[in-house]
Amino acid sequence: MRLSTKSRYGLRALFDMAYHAGNLPAQIKDISRRQNISPRYLEQIFQDLKKAGLLKSRRGPQGGYFLARKPHEITVMDIIHATEGEMALVDCVKTAKRGKKACEFDNQCITQQVWAEASRKLNEYLGAVTIKDLCDRGRELGLEKELDHRFMYFI
């Protein structure tokens, strides 16, 4: 099993939004610059994340994308499900679709149980790590926050 750039970049982008913008809208160009991800590719990823209910958007000069839920309510697994679909270490433990068996040895292979348990534990771990956890780790590492100048007012 190998995660695609969609899930890896999606996680980086949502972390970036939560860390740098908080609950304010973040613009693709800023996330793109900070994370070195193509803005066009981010737009594609964000469509999947919006469809999954993880992101919302607002048009206009003060617009951009923002988290649809609080950072402690969005898990790494939520992002992977939105971008990749069901996650399993090997295909033989994925849920069969349209009555087709996922594996010709389904329920007759001892190693299938090993992969199923390993997948369950990985999913459990990824389901326990939240965007807030990543933000906390960023603060612990001393990552510098970039303030959005669109929302700064000087008197």
Side-chain angles (χ1 to χ4, degrees):
M1 180 224 43
R2 187 178 174 109
L3 295 174
S4 74
T5 54
K6 280 183 101 174
S7 56
R8 294 183 1 246
Y9 289 179
L11 178 60
R12 283 174 41 196
L14 265 59
F15 159 74
D16 185 280
M17 292 170 65
Y19 195 73
H20 294 286
N23 55 5
L24 298 173
Q27 295 188 332
I28 290 267
K29 65 181 177 122
D30 295 325
I31 300 166
S32 170
R33 178 180 41 78
R34 286 189 294 258
Q35 295 299 322
N36 196 24
I37 302 169
S38 156
R40 292 184 91 161
Y41 194 36
L42 268 179
E43 285 284 359
Q44 292 174 11
I45 295 167
F46 280 12
Q47 292 312 307
D48 290 339
L49 296 172
K50 275 179 71 172
K51 215 179 304 176
L54 300 176
L55 282 183
K56 289 184 180 179
S57 62
R58 182 181 315 147
R59 293 185 182 275
Q62 301 297 317
Y65 287 91
F66 55 97
L67 301 178
R69 299 186 292 205
K70 293 182 172 112
H72 71 273
E73 297 172 338
I74 300 174
T75 67
V76 174
M77 183 53 70
D78 292 333
I79 297 164
I80 292 170
H81 276 251
T83 55
E84 309 276 348
E86 181 184 8
M87 192 176 98
L89 290 174
V90 292
D91 287 340
C92 71
V93 298
K94 284 187 176 178
T95 306
K97 291 185 170 81
R98 295 188 203 125
K100 290 171 68 176
K101 281 186 169 183
C103 175
E104 65 181 281
F105 297 108
D106 195 32
N107 295 320
Q108 298 173 4
C109 175
I110 195 68
T111 61
Q112 186 180 37
Q113 295 171 4
V114 172
W115 302 128
E117 181 64 13
S119 293
R120 187 191 66 72
K121 287 183 179 191
L122 179 60
N123 287 329
E124 186 179 296
Y125 170 72
L126 295 174
V129 179
T130 67
I131 296 295
K132 182 187 179 310
D133 295 331
L134 298 180
C135 289
D136 292 345
R137 291 177 190 177
R139 277 188 283 286
E140 288 170 11
L141 287 173
L143 292 181
E144 192 172 322
K145 275 189 170 187
E146 182 179 296
L147 299 175
D148 192 330
H149 301 292
R150 291 177 303 148
F151 300 104
M152 295 185 74
Y153 301 98
F154 300 95
I155 299 176

